[in-house]
Amino acid sequence: IDRVLDQEKAISQVLKADKKTRHLVPSWQDVDVMESVKKALSPLKDFTDALSGEDYVSISYVKPVLHLLKVNILSLNDEDTELTKTMKTSILAYLTDKYQDPTTDDLLDMASLVDPRFKTQYIDKDKIEGIQTRALSELESLLTIQYPTSDQQPTSSTSTSTSQSPDEGQTPPKKAKQSLASFLKASGVVNASAATTSASSSLKEAIEGELKGYFQKANAESEVDPLGWWKVHEANFPRVSQLARKYLCIPATSAPSERAFSTGGNIVTCQRATLKPDKVNQLVFLSKNL
């Protein structure tokens, strides 16, 4: 539509030159319709291209972009035609319906939370506390799986077994198994349970401290690469960085996967239809990464 409007005069001259095509010459009503459509859709093009990228973090952009569209880009103006207003209203209704799913909304909130440029800036005020609690719970669960009884930083190495007795690796006499060894084993279980509870409590406190420090730190500049920021500050927030690593790798759209399918379609052609699946995987990988 943009190209047609830009070349409208030349197109009209060409169509007028032939009697068979004169009826195709755009009327002023046609031009008005195209201008209204262009005004409603042209601002969305840059956002669509940006969110479809795969060489940078995109998932955390969704919340800020939706906010910008609602309060600025797609807001109704007195200068808008009725068609433009109708299109803006329809687009906003579609976006609202698309992202109102609680699961999707929570995912976007978590991605925004671990982006140092945004954090809680674009999360609804009544949901901030719930999202922070969820981040704490998710981090605790994630780190407990990775480091079951460690209350140190994720990069440190501590002993994860407190239930072994000194002679547990040896084969004791059969009589000892039913007396002293059994007692030591039971006692070890109790000690392990207590140690696990203590470690869990300590881990929770450590995560809470890191999250508090992360939220108190000033937001990064809008042009800062969040992955680069986390690479620099990972030593300060080693646990929270695990959550950032989990969410910031998610693409905002399906465009990257569709590009991979297109690459596969260019490789598996009619002339190369007998390629084995493993070979196709290797060729697609090389095509996308070289």
Side-chain angles (χ1 to χ4, degrees):
I1 291 176
D2 191 21
R3 293 292 299 275
V4 170
L5 289 173
D6 186 51
Q7 302 294 330
E8 188 266 331
K9 292 183 178 180
I11 293 173
S12 297
Q13 291 295 328
V14 173
L15 294 175
K16 288 178 181 177
D18 192 341
K19 294 182 179 180
K20 296 182 180 180
T21 57
R22 285 179 184 175
H23 66 285
L24 299 176
V25 175
S27 62
W28 65 269
Q29 293 97 333
D30 297 329
V31 174
D32 284 348
V33 169
M34 287 189 288
E35 288 178 346
S36 297
V37 173
K38 176 186 174 182
K39 188 174 182 179
L41 296 182
S42 58
L44 303 180
K45 182 178 182 298
D46 294 335
F47 292 111
T48 302
D49 292 341
L51 291 176
S52 299
E54 54 184 315
D55 296 329
Y56 48 83
V57 174
S58 58
I59 186 65
S60 58
Y61 272 115
V62 176
K63 278 281 183 175
V65 167
L66 289 176
H67 176 77
L68 183 61
L69 292 178
K70 292 178 181 179
V71 303
N72 188 2
I73 304 299
L74 294 178
S75 60
L76 303 182
N77 301 319
D78 295 335
E79 300 177 356
D80 293 339
T81 64
E82 289 301 320
L83 178 58
T84 300
K85 291 180 179 179
T86 302
M87 292 187 68
K88 287 184 175 180
T89 303
S90 299
I91 293 172
L92 278 176
Y94 169 78
L95 291 175
T96 301
D97 180 69
K98 181 178 179 64
Y99 292 104
Q100 72 178 357
D101 177 67
T103 303
T104 302
D105 191 55
D106 287 345
L107 186 147
L108 296 178
D109 284 338
M110 289 294 292
S112 180
L113 187 76
V114 295
D115 192 316
R117 300 167 298 176
F118 310 129
K119 297 181 181 176
T120 60
Q121 183 178 355
Y122 295 99
I123 301 176
D124 295 338
K125 292 183 179 180
D126 58 340
K127 295 181 61 180
I128 292 178
E129 185 177 352
I131 292 297
Q132 291 177 347
T133 302
R134 179 187 168 190
L136 173 62
S137 175
E138 192 165 335
L139 264 177
E140 188 176 4
S141 176
L142 179 66
L143 295 176
T144 300
I145 294 175
Q146 294 180 357
Y147 314 96
T149 62
S150 173
D151 60 350
Q152 304 297 322
Q153 293 186 358
T155 55
S156 65
S157 59
T158 58
S159 176
T160 60
S161 177
T162 60
S163 62
Q164 292 183 352
S165 58
D167 57 343
E168 198 172 32
Q170 302 177 1
T171 304
K174 293 183 179 180
K175 294 182 179 180
K177 283 185 178 180
Q178 299 185 7
S179 54
L180 185 59
S182 299
F183 173 78
L184 290 175
K185 184 177 181 180
S187 177
V189 170
V190 174
N191 292 336
S193 177
T196 302
T197 303
S198 176
S200 177
S201 177
S202 178
L203 177 62
K204 184 175 182 179
E205 292 175 358
I207 295 173
E208 288 177 345
E210 271 194 25
L211 285 172
K212 184 177 180 180
Y214 170 68
F215 292 133
Q216 289 178 344
K217 192 173 183 63
N219 287 12
E221 296 292 332
S222 59
E223 297 297 327
V224 170
D225 176 18
L227 298 182
W229 188 95
W230 275 112
K231 187 175 182 179
V232 173
H233 294 83
E234 183 178 5
N236 299 327
F237 310 107
R239 298 173 180 84
V240 183
S241 66
Q242 302 289 320
L243 200 63
R245 185 176 299 170
K246 175 181 178 180
Y247 282 96
L248 295 184
C249 66
I250 302 173
T253 69
S254 61
S257 62
E258 292 172 0
R259 295 190 188 104
F261 290 137
S262 298
T263 301
N266 293 332
I267 292 174
V268 185
T269 63
C270 294
Q271 289 74 29
R272 307 179 72 186
T274 59
L275 289 171
K276 300 296 183 181
D278 291 341
K279 185 68 66 176
V280 173
N281 288 339
Q282 295 173 6
L283 291 174
V284 171
F285 177 84
L286 293 174
S287 178
K288 297 293 290 185
N289 291 279
L290 292 182

